Amino acid sequence: MAEKISFEPPRGMRDFYPEDMVWRNKIFDAFRASAESYGFEPYDACVVESYELLARKAGEEVGEQIYHFLDKSERHLALRAEMTPTLARMVAQRQKELAFPLKWTTIAQCFRYERMTKGRKREHYQWNLDIIGEDSTLAEAEVIGAACDALKRMGLTSNDFKVHVSSRKFLGELLAKSGIAPEKHAQVFLALDKRGKMPDSEIAAMLRDGGLTDADVEATFKIMDTKSYEECPELVELFAIAGEAGFADCLVFDIAVIRGLSYYTGVVFECFDTAGEFRAIFGGGRYDNLLTTIGGEPTSAVGLGFGDVVVSELLKARLGDSAKERKGVAVGFMFPGERDVAVKLAAMLRASGERVDLALKPLKPKKFFSRADSIEAAKAIFVGPDDVEKGVVKIKNLETREESELCI
Ligand code: HAM
């Protein structure tokens, strides 16, 4: 006898049953509508990349999480953990032909061998918005504004979420002022990003490992108490633009936002639910050196990644467990003799733009109406012998239970 295979997907991977697709579509529809409304152009790429492009600097968590393998020709390949290196590669490939600034968007499935916690899977879909080739802070404002717009399209308000913004450049200046040399900053950023996820004593140890003295460590923690961004021109400008654009109520300054990826160079941001129940909803920032790191021409860039996992948990918690809404018409018939009338009726309704679920064989009324309910149809038409004779069918509204008539 064949060995029984588990019906579960591999750990951390997800199946999407139709009821899950309702949520996914709601989220993706909002992503696409906001990207379109903010003038981003869609692009896509293959899920498999060369490992060389994705391999990371030591200390970056995402580097340890990469799914990688050798193909049959011994090429070292990997599943993308994020879209940004692929985007950089695509831009570098056509850097001479492209008209900058580019505003590109995609919804990319990404794979990370993560420790499984709430909001973290080993596969997720990530909406990306990137503006390549623009120094102006308006670029940061546009990507953050579009992401807030998407959350609002999903039914959330600025009471439900806040985008925490800071600047690595600003933090770097504060560290330099305290006498911490710039070559130590990358290590400091990686350590500080762990704040809240591990005790400060362990962070202090990481900072000392990175070459900081006890006095440096003390100065670093003091910097983390900074409450004002007035000394940071980019942040002053970002808050001012957000005021004009109407999303200033979604932003808060938070020096503790560092980001775990080392390629960020300027403004960085991360969005959280206000109640602090969930992991980050989206995150991003300015990354002006990534193109040069992979061998392209120096190009400024800013962007964000917005996963589907946390936001779907948040939507279910805030908006209730069901995203389903009744839609379309269920059409059924009692005996084989009414089949052709039902088929014609379905064709007519479909031609007028209705979504029609046509019963595939004769059904007893009880069975037909119970199926119409279970597929969440808004209306139902059940064709019986009398209806065919009279040339009139009844349309039942399944929400109000009201009936109207339609000539056939
Ligand atoms: P990230 O912060 O690593 O940034 O990921 C962005 C978002 O993707 C997170 O805030 C979260 O919503 C989602 N996400 C990440 N990992 C997982 C996971 N294991 N399970 C569920 N959701 C996850 C980046 O990836 C950058 N490349 C974003 C970016 C684009 N920066 C500039 N352009």
Side-chain angles (χ1 to χ4, degrees):
M1 214 171 70
E3 205 174 299
K4 196 165 175 270
I5 289 175
S6 164
F7 294 151
E8 295 289 321
R11 189 165 156 76
M13 307 291 166
R14 294 171 298 167
D15 293 325
F16 289 87
Y17 284 87
E19 64 269 26
D20 307 312
M21 287 305 290
V22 176
W23 283 104
R24 188 167 120 181
N25 286 340
K26 186 180 168 71
I27 293 166
F28 282 23
D29 286 351
F31 288 163
R32 292 198 182 102
S34 296
E36 177 71 18
S37 151
Y38 278 72
F40 284 81
E41 285 185 294
Y43 72 101
D44 204 356
C46 47
V47 179
V48 174
E49 265 295 353
S50 73
Y51 177 72
E52 196 190 358
L53 179 75
L54 306 185
R56 307 308 280 265
K57 286 183 195 149
E60 264 188 295
E61 205 171 32
V62 70
E64 290 145 31
Q65 297 169 336
I66 294 174
Y67 279 87
H68 56 113
F69 56 96
L70 292 178
D71 74 3
K72 289 183 180 177
S73 305
E74 305 269 306
R75 286 184 198 92
H76 198 174
L77 301 175
L79 301 182
R80 64 174 171 228
E82 52 162 337
M83 198 61 174
T84 314
T86 300
L87 172 65
R89 177 180 65 66
M90 286 172 70
V91 172
Q93 192 184 157
R94 300 224 175 143
Q95 209 154 1
K96 298 230 157 39
E97 302 140 51
L98 293 167
F100 294 95
L102 306 174
K103 289 173 65 182
W104 283 9
T105 183
T106 194
I107 301 174
Q109 195 175 19
C110 299
F111 297 83
R112 299 182 185 185
Y113 194 83
E114 291 243 21
R115 212 166 49 82
M116 296 267 291
T117 54
K118 194 170 156 199
R120 287 290 173 271
K121 305 273 176 207
R122 290 185 177 162
E123 149 278 318
H124 71 282
Y125 285 92
Q126 198 187 94
W127 179 40
N128 278 241
L129 288 174
D130 288 272
I131 300 182
I132 316 270
E134 184 51 67
D135 289 331
S136 152
T137 307
L138 195 41
E140 274 89 337
E142 284 287 275
V143 293
I144 297 172
C148 294
D149 179 70
L151 284 166
K152 289 174 186 167
R153 283 174 197 264
M154 292 173 205
L156 299 173
T157 70
S158 62
N159 292 329
D160 298 308
F161 67 88
K162 290 282 179 267
V163 186
H164 296 231
V165 295
S166 185
S167 161
R168 277 203 183 174
K169 202 166 131 220
F170 179 44
L171 182 56
E173 281 162 13
L174 295 176
L175 291 168
K177 252 195 232 162
S178 294
I180 300 164
E183 57 274 18
K184 293 180 185 159
H185 292 183
Q187 190 65 27
V188 174
F189 293 156
L190 280 180
L192 290 180
D193 182 58
K194 299 272 182 288
R195 254 188 130 205
K197 297 171 203 152
M198 55 167 73
D200 274 1
S201 55
E202 282 180 41
I203 307 236
M206 278 175 80
L207 290 170
R208 279 191 291 269
D209 286 348
L212 269 63
T213 63
D214 285 349
D216 289 342
V217 172
E218 201 182 312
T220 303
F221 281 127
K222 203 146 174 233
I223 287 169
M224 296 313 281
D225 291 333
T226 305
K227 295 280 179 292
S228 162
Y229 59 85
E230 295 304 318
E231 304 287 310
C232 176
E234 293 88 358
L235 290 179
V236 171
E237 204 179 359
L238 177 59
F239 277 86
I241 298 169
E244 295 302 325
F247 64 92
D249 57 337
C250 299
L251 299 191
V252 290
F253 168 63
D254 182 356
I255 190 89
V257 172
I258 316 275
R259 308 272 299 131
L261 298 158
S262 64
Y263 50 64
Y264 293 110
T265 52
V267 170
V268 277
F269 50 86
E270 211 141 56
C271 177
F272 292 96
D273 65 293
T274 325
E277 280 172 55
F278 301 92
R279 300 279 300 255
I281 303 168
F282 66 77
R286 179 164 284 283
Y287 54 103
D288 285 344
N289 301 332
L290 186 62
L291 263 289
T292 0
T293 317
I294 67 159
E297 300 293 319
T299 311
S300 52
V302 56
L304 63 80
F306 185 146
D308 65 329
V309 178
V310 175
V311 80
S312 109
E313 288 173 354
L314 180 62
L315 289 179
K316 285 175 190 168
R318 297 289 174 271
L319 308 178
D321 213 16
S322 174
K324 270 199 180 173
E325 43 189 76
R326 289 188 171 273
K327 57 181 176 188
V329 192
V331 175
F333 53 100
M334 192 140 38
F335 299 109
E338 288 100 51
R339 189 195 68 183
D340 291 353
V341 171
V343 168
K344 243 191 213 140
L345 192 59
M348 194 179 88
L349 291 168
R350 284 172 181 152
S352 73
E354 280 280 9
R355 173 188 203 274
V356 178
D357 179 83
L358 175 63
L360 303 174
K361 61 181 180 211
L363 292 173
K364 296 245 160 44
K366 203 172 156 206
K367 199 134 197 215
F368 166 71
F369 283 103
S370 116
R371 177 174 156 80
D373 250 342
S374 76
I375 61 165
E376 307 261 338
K379 290 173 269 179
I381 303 175
F382 189 63
V383 190
D386 290 356
D387 303 317
V388 175
E389 215 166 277
K390 280 194 242 155
V392 176
V393 290
K394 288 200 179 75
I395 308 177
K396 188 166 186 172
N397 183 316
L398 295 174
E399 254 161 329
T400 61
R401 301 276 144 188
E402 279 162 15
E403 285 187 339
S404 54
E405 293 193 331
L406 179 73
C407 292
I408 46 172

